[in-house]
Amino acid sequence: MTAIAWTVADPDTIERMIAVGLCRRHKNARRIKSSQGDGGLDVLVPVPGQSQFHVENYQVKKFADELNDSRKRQIKKSLARAIATHRDTTYDYEIAKWYLALPMELTREQEKWLFDVADELQAPFPVEVFGLTAIEELLLDAPNIREYYLGDGIEKVSQILSQMTNLVGLRDLTADPAKVEPADAIGSLADLHSHINAADPHFNYDYQVTAEPPTITPGPGLIASVIARTGKDAPCVSWHVFTKYDAALDDRPIPGSFSV
């Protein structure tokens, strides 16, 4: 797999990829929508055994080449706002650790600058750098994030969803039902299942065919179930969509619509 050309990648795509990668690694992480009132909070990872407000805060920045004075001001402002949120008794947020997450390795002088800023602002929590090496390891854990945002992943997911919807993979099998072997159908369905779940960084998909409408049982990550049939006596085809991490719907709505 070739290295990501971070310095020429779309900056907004960089931020999205890092945030999705963090949420994939930490399934219960959540993202705070960027705004003037976000309180310096970005990607929040709850500390195990603590409340959802006791968090590690990853401040994601799209800087991939240098830290000029303007970018340093942005980083300092984000850290200052996070400190203010931590100390504000109006909210329950308690920041256990603050990370500067960006796709570049800081020099010794840049690291010293960051830690000096933390001392100047009297940060009440540890400040660390989550740099290029850590981010690339993050994306190696979930390579479909890279393919989706920088490769042909979006088109691949769309194509497989279309195959699932129309059962394209089974059309050849149904030409002569008398000659269909169970293993043939199982292979086609299993391939579709494997490919879509490997390609989509946000959701997992399951499907089933039953004589009668199945009972839908809520389960971890289940966000949608669609049951359809072509006629009164036809079997029911059910599609189930699960999030791969808690904040998946923030990154992408449920894709498309199903018509069987």
Side-chain angles (χ1 to χ4, degrees):
M1 182 176 292
T2 58
I4 296 175
W6 291 104
T7 57
V8 297
D10 174 66
D12 292 335
T13 299
I14 289 176
E15 285 193 353
R16 178 67 62 85
M17 289 173 60
I18 296 173
V20 172
L22 286 167
C23 290
R24 284 286 300 274
R25 174 174 288 181
H26 307 281
K27 306 299 184 185
N28 59 344
R30 61 189 187 277
R31 295 172 62 188
I32 302 300
K33 186 175 180 180
S34 179
S35 69
Q36 291 300 316
D38 60 15
L41 304 178
D42 199 354
V43 179
L44 304 182
V45 178
V47 176
Q50 303 293 326
S51 79
Q52 63 175 332
F53 298 106
H54 191 173
V55 297
E56 293 183 344
N57 181 28
Y58 288 79
Q59 182 64 52
V60 180
K61 296 296 185 183
K62 50 197 171 189
F63 314 143
D65 49 3
E66 63 173 342
L67 287 186
N68 54 31
D69 290 342
S70 174
R71 292 175 174 182
K72 286 182 176 180
R73 286 194 294 270
Q74 292 181 51
I75 294 170
K76 183 176 181 179
K77 182 178 179 180
S78 295
L79 178 56
R81 290 165 67 184
I83 292 172
T85 296
H86 177 89
R87 291 173 172 162
D88 191 345
T89 57
T90 305
Y91 303 97
D92 295 324
Y93 286 106
E94 182 178 352
I95 299 175
K97 189 176 292 186
W98 187 92
Y99 291 94
L100 173 61
L102 73 176
M104 61 178 289
E105 299 294 6
L106 299 191
T107 65
R108 182 174 58 182
E109 291 76 18
Q110 290 167 337
E111 280 196 341
K112 182 178 185 304
W113 167 82
L114 178 63
F115 299 144
D116 286 346
V117 167
D119 290 340
E120 175 191 338
L121 297 175
Q122 299 181 344
F125 41 73
V127 170
E128 296 187 13
V129 179
F130 195 82
L132 178 62
T133 299
I135 288 171
E136 291 190 333
E137 290 176 352
L138 190 75
L139 297 180
L140 283 175
D141 291 343
N144 52 12
I145 296 174
R146 170 193 172 136
E147 294 305 313
Y148 186 86
Y149 288 102
L150 295 180
D152 61 354
I154 294 179
E155 291 78 10
K156 186 180 296 183
V157 169
S158 177
Q159 182 182 42
I160 300 173
L161 282 174
S162 178
Q163 289 179 323
M164 291 171 63
T165 302
N166 297 296
L167 295 181
V168 171
L170 299 182
R171 283 182 178 173
D172 292 339
L173 300 179
T174 58
D176 188 350
K179 296 182 179 180
V180 173
E181 296 292 335
D184 295 332
I186 291 172
S188 295
L189 290 170
D191 286 345
L192 282 174
H193 185 272
S194 175
H195 291 161
I196 185 61
N197 287 318
D200 196 323
H202 311 97
F203 302 106
N204 281 322
Y205 303 82
D206 278 337
Y207 47 85
Q208 61 187 133
V209 180
T210 54
E212 299 296 332
T215 300
I216 304 300
T217 303
L222 179 63
I223 53 171
S225 290
V226 179
I227 304 172
R229 66 198 323 173
T230 57
K232 180 180 179 182
D233 298 322
C236 296
V237 179
S238 304
W239 308 87
H240 309 290
V241 185
F242 302 81
T243 56
K244 285 185 173 175
Y245 55 95
D246 290 354
L249 282 172
D250 295 333
D251 295 312
R252 199 182 96 216
I254 299 175
S257 61
F258 295 103
S259 176
V260 181

